[in-house]
């Protein structure tokens, strides 16, 4: 089966611009997660969808970040307007539902804000 | 609050020697522990997990990890390192019974370099 895919792999934008990241989870996975790793630091949770509903968005840094998952399939994460501190690698993961199920990660999108 | 510590940013080991990558964790409830590996220009790949039962867990590529409840540790080990094991390793914990029960809390990562 195909894994989690993310687009684009890299994005370089200027401060103040808008960027939209996309994640396609593994087919049939109801759970979709977004994480972020800022250079050299830990990977941090951003939010969790169950199908099209936001289950937990406690990790979203501020209201410049907007995540959607229309139809419960792919998800987008929009950053508007981007700031320098938003630079990092954004990972998407998906999983089936269950207490002991592992999450499968995509390759990540490296975002650089200049 | 949940947290994971990987005390070593970098671990160097000679090919053929045993390797250990350290991880300690803190959770309020029962831990559900993972190791992931990231190869250059690739995503995170699942290596192994501990839920309950035997404290020694075996995973992919010959890796294993030992859960130690009293020391709140979950160190990753391999008896004989390969050059191809060189990568970035992340330890993660999920607090099954706590808030944010579905989320993973990661350490900062340890870069393993296996020297030929």
């Amino acid at each position: 089966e195909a894994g989690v895919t993310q687009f684009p792999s890299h994005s370089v934008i200027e401060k103040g611009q808008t960027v939209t990241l996309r994640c396609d989870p593994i087919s049939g996975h109801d759970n979709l997660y977004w994480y972020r790793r800022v250079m050299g630091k830990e990977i941090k949770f951003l939010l969790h969808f169950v199908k099209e509903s936001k289950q937990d968005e406690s990790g979203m840094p501020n209201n410049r970040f907007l995540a959607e998952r229309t139809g419960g399939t792919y998800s987008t994460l929009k950053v508007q307007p981007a700031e320098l501190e938003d630079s990092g690698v954004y990972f998407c993961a998906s999983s089936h539902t269950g207490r002991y199920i592992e999450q499968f990660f995509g390759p990540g999108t490296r975002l650089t804000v200049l | 609050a949940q947290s994971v510590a990987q005390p070593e940013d970098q671990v160097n080991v000679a090919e053929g020697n045993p390797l250990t990558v350290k991880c300690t964790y803190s959770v309020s409830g029962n831990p559900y522990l993972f190791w992931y590996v990231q190869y250059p220009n690739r995503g995170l790949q699942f290596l192994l997990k501990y839920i309950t039962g035997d404290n020694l867990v075996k995973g992919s590529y010959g890796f294993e990890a030992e859960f130690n409840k009293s020391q709140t540790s979950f160190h990753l080990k391999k008896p004989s390192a390969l050059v191809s094991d060189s990568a970035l390793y992340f330890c993660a914990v999920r607090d099954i019974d706590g808030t944010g029960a579905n989320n993973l809390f990661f350490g900062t990562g340890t870069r393993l370099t296996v020297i030929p």
Side-chain angles (χ1 to χ4, degrees):
Chain A
E1 78 186 347
V4 177
T5 58
Q6 293 186 244
F7 182 82
S9 57
H10 294 84
S11 181
V12 180
I13 61 173
E14 304 251 334
K15 176 183 171 180
Q17 289 185 321
T18 297
V19 63
T20 300
L21 313 181
R22 173 172 170 144
C23 168
D24 286 78
I26 292 172
S27 178
H29 282 189
D30 287 339
N31 295 278
L32 188 148
Y33 306 82
W34 284 97
Y35 293 85
R36 177 175 73 171
R37 185 178 192 229
V38 174
M39 180 64 78
K41 297 194 182 283
E42 69 271 24
I43 300 170
K44 282 193 171 181
F45 167 79
L46 296 178
L47 87 159
H48 169 210
F49 284 99
V50 178
K51 297 184 179 178
E52 66 274 13
S53 300
K54 291 176 185 174
Q55 177 80 7
D56 181 355
E57 52 185 330
S58 61
M60 294 287 264
N62 51 61
N63 59 10
R64 294 186 294 104
F65 288 75
L66 175 64
E68 295 180 326
R69 192 183 182 195
T70 307
T73 54
Y74 71 92
S75 174
T76 58
L77 179 65
K78 180 189 288 187
V79 184
Q80 180 182 29
E83 298 289 345
L84 299 178
E85 64 264 26
D86 301 332
S87 296
V89 180
Y90 290 76
F91 291 102
C92 176
S94 71
S95 75
H96 285 301
T97 297
R99 280 171 70 84
Y100 306 121
I101 299 296
E102 61 266 26
Q103 297 175 18
F104 294 88
F105 282 77
T109 293
R110 182 174 295 278
L111 175 63
T112 302
V113 183
L114 302 176
Chain B
Q2 302 90 337
S3 66
V4 173
Q6 293 183 244
E8 301 156 319
D9 292 335
Q10 174 82 42
V11 170
N12 297 325
V13 63
E15 186 177 23
N17 282 3
L19 69 88
T20 299
V21 182
K22 296 179 181 177
C23 170
T24 59
Y25 66 90
S26 174
V27 296
S28 55
N30 291 310
Y32 178 23
L33 294 153
F34 301 81
W35 277 100
Y36 283 85
V37 59
Q38 185 180 22
Y39 297 103
N41 301 314
R42 303 287 294 276
L44 295 168
Q45 292 184 36
F46 168 76
L47 268 183
L48 51 80
K49 66 184 178 184
Y50 171 82
I51 303 171
T52 186
D54 194 344
N55 289 342
L56 186 64
V57 179
K58 294 188 183 298
S60 306
Y61 312 121
F63 284 92
E64 57 190 28
E66 186 167 12
F67 172 65
N68 187 316
K69 187 173 183 177
S70 63
Q71 296 184 3
T72 61
S73 68
F74 190 56
H75 300 331
L76 181 70
K77 300 180 180 184
K78 186 172 183 180
S80 178
L82 301 173
V83 173
S84 57
D85 293 329
S86 298
L88 187 57
Y89 290 80
F90 290 95
C91 181
V93 67
R94 184 173 155 189
D95 184 353
I96 299 171
D97 306 308
T99 56
N102 292 302
N103 315 336
L104 291 175
F105 292 85
F106 284 87
T108 52
T110 298
R111 185 164 298 283
L112 173 69
T113 300
V114 181
I115 303 163

